[in-house]
Amino acid sequence: MSLDRSPALGVWWGKSDAGGRPNLLLQHLLDTAAVAELLWDRYLAPGTRSWLNAVSGGAGRTFFALVAGLHDVGKATPAFQAKVDVLARKVRAVGLDWRRLDAESARWHHSVAGAFLLRSVLPAFGWSASTVAWVWPLVAGHHGLVPDSEKLLAGRRLGNAQGRGESWRVAQAALVQAVADELKVDLTELGAVVAPRRGQQLSLSGLVIMADWIASGMPFAGVDVLGEVSMEAARRRALAAWDVLELRGGWGAAPYQHVEDLVAARFGKPSRPLQVAGVELAEGMPGPGLLIVEAPMGEGKTEVALAAAEVLGRRFGCDGVFVGMPTQATSDPMFERVVEWAGAVDTGLPVGLLHGKRMFNRRWNEMQQCVHFAGVDEFGCDDEYAVSDGGRWERPEHAPAEWFLGPKRGMLMPVVVGTIDQLLHAATRTKHVMLRHAGLNGRVVILDEVHAYDVYMSQFLFEALRWLADAGVPVILLSATLPPGQRHDLMRAYLQGATGQRVVDLSVVSEAEGYPVFHALSVVGGTARRDVRTSVPWRRAEQVRLRILEEAPEDGPEQVVGLLDEQLRDGGCALVIRNTVSRAQQTYEALVGRWGSGQVLLLHARLTVAERAERTRRALELLGPPGGPVQRPKRLIVVATQLAEQSFDVDADLLVTDLAPIDLLLQRIGRVHRHTRPVRPAGLHPPQVFVAGVHTVAAGPPAFPSGSMYIYGRHLLLRSAALVLEGVDGRGWSIPTDVPDLVSRGYGDSEPVPASWGNSAESARRVWETSERARQDIARSFLLAGEDTLGTPTLAGLHGRATGDLPDDDAVAAVVRDGTESVEVVLVRQDEGRYLTLGGHSLGPNGDASDADIVEEVAGSMVRLPPRPNITAAAKAELGPLPGWYGNPWLQRCRALVLDANNSTVLAGRRLTYKHDLGLVDAPA
């Protein structure tokens, strides 16, 4: 129909002020449709386009543009048009009137109103009930929350807010028809579009939001004359915006072609047996699925994962990756490796780093030198109308477009490295969760160190796997020490998602002998197919000698000092891992008293972020692989906490470690003799491991420090201690040969503990099982949907009980990570009425930090407080940003902990002192 058929099209407004002029609603709808077309052409992965074409009879591009173009039709209602009086009068002037809106009617949101409108309009164009049923949630959810159908029923009661009478119904139908006409769409031909899988629907919902947000920013200036509205104009505007924003997708649609040695082509080193086997397995998988890689530490799992991801991606239509790591500290070195890999795959392929401390990553900062951050309005849309272009910038290689750096957009980057929390967030029932799924669709997901996730976090990981499988997203999981039961649960979750069924046939995921080992699982045509392959380890097995270093629970670090005094007499590099920060600090002080600060390095989580990053860099540099830029020291002792057990590529001659659950203990052992060296110091070959934090008794179970008990629980420590004592009494452990058996026994059904520990071990087991069940139940209450909704055909009601928004990393961690909550603060000093940085630079009486270098120094003084409930409560209630920080986009969200001239303060009855050698020290006031 022609645009002048309904006068309402010339007065309905979509944005009241778009660069100084209102923007007609129809113009915004067409702009969004035009952006969707560009997303299809230049951003969507081939696999995403494929399933959209499949459900629409080959009309995927048109269908996507149409849905995006209809997202805001709910603004064609009195509830929205009445929001601005001067514009509302124009609507009334064309005969569309309404009575005064009561409070409930004024709150009738246009997203729900749009869904209600389409449910009544689309059937008149021949749309089937099943098609309407899955399409309306895409419109209802474009502000981040998908309601249930019951909420839509309020539209019948709120007729005054929705638009009452024939004139409103005709005009609203005309708006839908106008969008279709401009797109040259015959609505009746799309009325039988088949519903895709629910995981795909969720990603499509996110893509609609993405198109809307782009079309709501610069340079989409207002158009308030209907004669200027057209699809051609919208396409010109969208193309101009695309050129300014410099958006792009992943590595494109080139089909997979076998490369003789893909690892060598991407990393410059010949493939190891593990890597050859992994690539071959990825080449043979019958469909996108789950690939689990279990291999020893230092075997090359990262390389095989990235190579397999490229194979799976090109075979099944994916053009990017998300790499999830356990912590921010492990994400940073992985980011460096992924950037180098991405350059070999596709020169200039953008790579994102996604965690709250990325500003301290040097490579990331170098990549962002030419990127500015756009303002964001209350709708999460760019507000750049007053910003001039200022010329074209030369974007650093691999730097993602600035648009992706705005709130909630990071997962939309084609290649992303981040913490596992970013993926687990996609498994929560939170606002705008669909944006994360839009980013994951068409990607290959790689998750490292999957053994590290406890029963609470695992519930979110299982939920994420169900949704990823439902969307056909390939997933690669990596671990050196994965318990068989956990592997079983991971495969079960993926199989549930792929089949849409809660009860699945698990015979397909039976056990296999061998290590390293691959487990591949795909579902093709409703049939699960599994492949298991083993590989030859790259390094020969080494016999690790185990010793118990007796320490009573109340003992200090004297035993460790004495041991190292003996073992390092002729030199050598030792790694000491303590289970708590306080034990690490005490051990460090005692060792410095013996060896001096130049030969001892302390690393833990209560250092400022800048100091922690520098010490991590130094440790990796000094104790990294042979051939590095820095000569290995004759003697060095690194004292660390659990930071050293994951993705920490150091090579120690000797390991002293507190007892931990068996999988984590084996991870720590992976740091001793990690690399092949021609010579080790005298007495430090073969590798030796001294297990501390254990006090054995002649009859009965051992005792453990209270900190270890609090973190891990007595049950898992007893099982681990039993296995260690077996190794001490026997030949030690053959690493990596013994790893699968040790992990299986540490977590299996049969108890490995001696009979003399029976009653104590049984009591500990019951306590542990009760705790595990409670933690599972708590986690499940936050899940996006859960097992009970598997097979649900649409997204309707997805946010029926929304968790709420999670605006930052701490908020996400509070939901997806179990444990005592803690908060981060920025440390500043106060002296004679002025604030100072920890380094002594003046911030003035208000804490002003306008200079970029000073801002970086202040931000680098962030530290996490001890996880004590009273400290956390006091920090939340009493601490906030300094007056001079308001206006700074980063510091204004930070809490300042003001220290005295001695770098000390009292909070919640605790004396907190920052010492540059020890970090934050927590003591009674």
Side-chain angles (χ1 to χ4, degrees), residues 62-75:
T62 299
F63 178 72
F64 176 37
L66 176 67
V67 173
L70 295 177
H71 77 285
D72 258 353
V73 292
K75 289 183 176 179

Side-chain angles (χ1 to χ4, degrees), residues 182 184 230-237:
E182 286 295 298
K184 295 181 170 53
S230 70
M231 195 64 207
E232 290 72 20
R235 288 177 176 133
R236 289 193 299 269
R237 287 151 62 90

Side-chain angles (χ1 to χ4, degrees), residues 204-447:
L204 180 58
S205 175
L207 291 170
V208 170
I209 294 174
M210 184 180 182
D212 178 28
W213 285 11
I214 294 172
S216 298
M218 185 274 293
F220 293 92
V223 175
D224 57 0
V225 177
L226 185 60
E228 299 176 10
V229 175
S230 70
M231 195 64 207
E232 290 72 20
R235 288 177 176 133
R236 289 193 299 269
R237 287 151 62 90
L239 189 60
W242 196 274
D243 289 342
V244 170
L245 297 178
E246 297 182 310
L247 304 178
R248 63 157 286 179
W251 56 63
Y256 176 67
Q257 294 182 341
H258 175 76
V259 177
E260 188 61 32
D261 189 338
L262 184 58
V263 170
R266 298 296 180 247
F267 300 98
K269 299 177 182 179
S271 288
R272 298 172 179 176
L274 174 86
Q275 296 158 351
V276 172
V279 171
E280 289 178 351
L281 185 55
E283 289 177 330
M285 288 178 66
L290 177 67
L291 177 61
I292 300 178
V293 184
E294 298 177 51
M297 296 71 73
E299 194 73 16
K301 293 189 291 294
T302 297
E303 289 81 3
V304 72
L306 290 170
E310 184 181 355
V311 172
L312 293 173
R314 293 196 186 278
R315 290 188 61 217
F316 301 120
C318 305
D319 65 355
V321 298
F322 169 78
V323 182
M325 303 297 294
T327 63
Q328 295 174 352
T330 55
S331 298
D332 285 336
M334 181 60 72
F335 173 69
E336 299 275 353
R337 299 173 74 178
V338 171
V339 168
E340 298 305 317
W341 166 78
V345 172
D346 181 356
T347 302
L349 183 63
V351 182
L353 178 61
L354 208 55
H355 65 68
K357 305 298 181 301
R358 65 186 179 187
M359 65 183 296
F360 301 106
N361 184 284
R362 294 180 182 180
R363 184 70 173 270
W364 176 258
N365 279 330
E366 290 170 1
M367 288 166 54
Q368 303 312 307
Q369 288 177 355
C370 295
V371 177
H372 84 274
F373 288 80
V376 177
D377 68 16
E378 68 273 20
F379 299 108
C381 305
D382 286 345
D383 184 16
E384 302 178 336
Y385 299 113
V387 179
S388 63
D389 189 9
R392 303 284 296 184
W393 288 335
E394 185 69 27
R395 185 173 298 281
E397 189 177 31
H398 301 301
E402 63 169 284
W403 188 89
F404 290 117
L405 306 182
K408 302 186 179 184
R409 305 172 191 172
M411 291 288 278
L412 295 167
M413 292 183 278
V415 177
V416 181
V417 179
T419 57
I420 184 68
D421 303 53
Q422 304 297 332
L423 179 80
L424 301 185
H425 192 171
T428 62
R429 197 172 51 256
T430 47
K431 191 175 184 180
H432 289 120
V433 67
M434 58 281 289
L435 281 170
R436 294 180 176 273
H437 288 264
L440 292 166
N441 195 267
R443 311 289 185 245
V444 179
V445 172
I446 301 172
L447 303 179

Side-chain angles (χ1 to χ4, degrees), residues 9 124 205 298 400 406 513 525 571 608 651 661 702-703 738 753 816 870 908:
L9 302 181
S205 175
E513 299 293 331
T608 63
D651 175 19
D738 291 343
V753 301
V816 302
N870 56 337

Side-chain angles (χ1 to χ4, degrees), residues 644-899:
E645 80 188 15
Q646 296 171 344
S647 303
F648 191 60
D649 191 10
V650 298
D651 175 19
D653 299 313
L654 175 74
L655 174 66
V656 181
T657 173
D658 281 347
L659 182 71
I662 191 64
D663 55 329
L664 305 182
L665 186 62
L666 290 167
Q667 287 287 333
R668 298 177 186 188
I669 290 174
R671 315 302 157 198
V672 63
H673 290 216
R674 185 178 179 89
H675 298 292
T676 301
R677 297 185 184 275
V679 178
R680 296 274 181 184
L684 299 182
H685 191 84
Q688 298 181 76
V689 174
F690 291 85
V691 179
V694 181
H695 179 57
T696 60
V697 295
F704 313 113
S706 59
S708 296
M709 296 269 285
Y710 178 78
I711 296 169
Y712 300 119
R714 183 169 174 78
H715 171 65
L716 294 180
L717 291 176
L718 284 172
R719 296 180 73 116
S720 185
L723 296 171
V724 169
L725 289 171
E726 283 183 11
V728 170
D729 294 339
R731 58 183 177 83
W733 290 340
S734 178
I735 303 296
T737 307
D738 291 343
V739 168
D741 181 64
L742 289 167
V743 174
S744 178
R745 293 180 64 203
Y747 286 91
D749 293 333
S750 60
E751 291 282 0
V753 301
S756 61
W757 302 2
N759 291 336
S760 180
E762 175 61 21
S763 175
R765 182 186 63 80
R766 288 196 299 268
V767 171
W768 176 78
E769 288 178 343
T770 300
S771 174
E772 294 288 278
R773 285 193 295 268
R775 295 169 70 198
Q776 281 182 347
D777 291 342
I778 293 171
R780 287 169 180 165
S781 67
F782 293 105
L783 296 183
L784 177 55
E787 293 179 298
D788 291 340
T789 68
L790 284 164
T792 301
T794 77
L795 297 177
L798 186 67
H799 288 91
R801 295 181 299 111
T803 301
D805 209 0
L806 301 179
D808 54 38
D809 284 6
D810 279 345
V812 174
V815 171
V816 302
R817 290 181 184 261
D818 195 15
T820 307
E821 185 183 2
S822 64
V823 299
E824 289 183 314
V825 297
V826 173
L827 302 178
V828 295
R829 287 194 291 141
Q830 190 172 38
D831 189 22
E832 297 182 354
R834 60 176 184 152
Y835 294 106
L836 304 168
T837 67
L838 285 185
H841 292 101
S842 176
L843 300 175
N846 295 315
D848 298 313
S850 55
D851 180 80
D853 291 336
I854 294 296
V855 170
E856 183 175 352
E857 182 181 352
V858 172
S861 298
M862 175 172 279
V863 69
R864 186 164 291 278
L865 295 178
R868 297 180 182 273
N870 56 337
I871 288 181
T872 299
K876 287 185 172 183
E878 301 173 19
L879 305 183
L882 297 182
W885 294 357
Y886 289 99
N888 182 286
W890 193 83
L891 291 177
Q892 68 182 2
R893 300 193 302 270
C894 296
R895 295 181 174 91
L897 182 65
V898 181
L899 308 177

Side-chain angles (χ1 to χ4, degrees), residues 29 33 36 60-71 122 127 176 179-181 183 185-187 190:
L29 299 183
R61 185 177 187 269
T62 299
F63 178 72
F64 176 37
L66 176 67
V67 173
L70 295 177
H71 77 285
L122 291 178
W127 282 46
V176 173
V179 173
D181 287 347
L183 286 169
V185 172
D186 184 344
L187 282 173
L190 291 177

